[in-house]
Amino acid sequence: AQSVAQPEDQVNVAEGNPLTVKCTYSVSGNPYLFWYVQYPNRGLQFLLKYITGDNLVKGSYGFEAEFNKSQTSFHLKKPSALVSDSALYFCAVRGTGFQKLVFGTGTRLLVSP
Amino acid sequence: DVKVTQSSRYLVKRTGEKVFLECVQDMDHENMFWYRQDPGLGLRLIYFSYDVKMKEKGDIPEGYSVSREKKERFSLILESASTNQTSMYLCASSNNGAGGEQYFGPGTRLTVT
């Protein structure tokens, strides 16, 4: 069975500092991994995905994520946080051949001025 | 740009009413999904569809049904609404490509009184 864990309910960071939002996963076979962002009262927006290739994936709004197979992790990162990055972030995984995504419970990112 | 629209942003219904939530996508995607989102629980899959007239149960199908008569439209039906179905409902679509990232609508916040 596929599963995703986001161990932090909330991450607090000061504007200009680097940020990391953690995600670990469990899936049989090769994973397809995704990050989404949700702003208040909005649907989820796709940020980036890992399918194969380079372990460092670059996405929208300056975000990137690092795939680590040995640690089964896919942490979201940004070198310099903005107040406007404050939102709810979801990690998701699916296995090869499956179209269903399994989502984590979400991590709220709060960037203070 | 992929566009997924949902029929209502906010909906208030009474217990026992039949409720229809509609979702339309304009990118000719094969797959469509209905989720509900509740605080602390993340996104949970209710139903999904791989093709017209095809449907598969997700993780929490009880109390819901779906209809997909046309490729672009996927409807979620609450046969007899109950207060525990008060939630944010999110529709998504994806194609069968290697990535398979899902694109989400803005959501419908349903309140059952």
Side-chain angles (χ1 to χ4, degrees):
Chain A
Q2 303 164 104
S3 66
V4 173
Q6 293 182 244
E8 302 153 317
D9 290 335
Q10 182 162 313
V11 169
N12 298 303
V13 64
E15 188 173 34
N17 284 357
L19 70 88
T20 299
V21 182
K22 295 180 180 177
C23 171
T24 58
Y25 67 91
S26 173
V27 68
S28 53
N30 293 323
Y32 291 173
L33 294 154
F34 305 84
W35 275 102
Y36 287 83
V37 60
Q38 185 180 35
Y39 297 101
N41 297 314
R42 305 284 288 276
L44 275 67
Q45 295 179 34
F46 169 71
L47 274 180
L48 51 80
K49 67 183 177 186
Y50 171 84
I51 301 174
T52 187
D54 283 344
N55 290 341
L56 187 64
V57 179
K58 295 189 184 295
S60 306
Y61 312 122
F63 283 94
E64 57 191 27
E66 187 169 13
F67 171 65
N68 187 316
K69 188 173 184 177
S70 62
Q71 296 186 4
T72 61
S73 67
F74 190 56
H75 301 331
L76 181 71
K77 301 182 180 186
K78 188 173 183 181
S80 179
L82 299 172
V83 172
S84 57
D85 292 331
S86 298
L88 188 57
Y89 290 82
F90 289 96
C91 181
V93 67
R94 73 176 181 94
T96 309
F98 295 96
Q99 294 298 330
K100 291 195 302 179
L101 293 183
V102 173
F103 285 84
T105 52
T107 298
R108 188 164 299 282
L109 174 66
L110 186 59
V111 182
S112 53
Chain B
D1 279 354
V2 176
K3 192 166 184 183
V4 180
T5 57
Q6 296 184 228
S7 50
S8 305
R9 292 299 306 275
Y10 299 94
L11 209 52
V12 180
K13 295 292 182 180
R14 294 189 181 274
T15 301
E17 280 193 83
K18 191 168 186 176
V19 182
F20 293 88
L21 303 181
E22 295 211 318
C23 175
V24 178
Q25 51 95 3
D26 66 357
M27 284 301 292
D28 203 35
H29 283 173
E30 294 86 0
N31 311 305
M32 296 189 75
F33 307 83
W34 275 106
Y35 297 90
R36 62 176 284 176
Q37 180 182 10
D38 300 288
L41 297 177
L43 274 71
R44 292 180 292 169
L45 183 64
I46 304 172
Y47 268 96
F48 60 103
S49 170
Y50 288 139
D51 200 352
V52 176
K53 297 190 184 297
M54 302 292 286
K55 59 184 179 184
E56 297 278 347
K57 292 181 179 179
D59 300 318
I60 52 164
E62 296 79 18
Y64 304 94
S65 63
V66 291
S67 172
R68 193 169 181 199
E69 296 296 319
K70 293 185 178 181
K71 189 174 185 179
E72 68 271 19
R73 190 180 297 270
F74 193 35
S75 301
L76 179 69
I77 303 151
L78 287 66
E79 296 289 344
S80 178
S82 64
T83 55
N84 62 13
Q85 293 178 309
T86 292
S87 186
M88 170 72 96
Y89 289 87
L90 293 166
C91 175
S93 70
S94 72
N95 62 22
N96 285 330
E101 61 268 26
Q102 294 180 14
Y103 293 88
F104 284 79
T108 296
R109 187 165 294 280
L110 172 67
T111 302
V112 182
T113 61

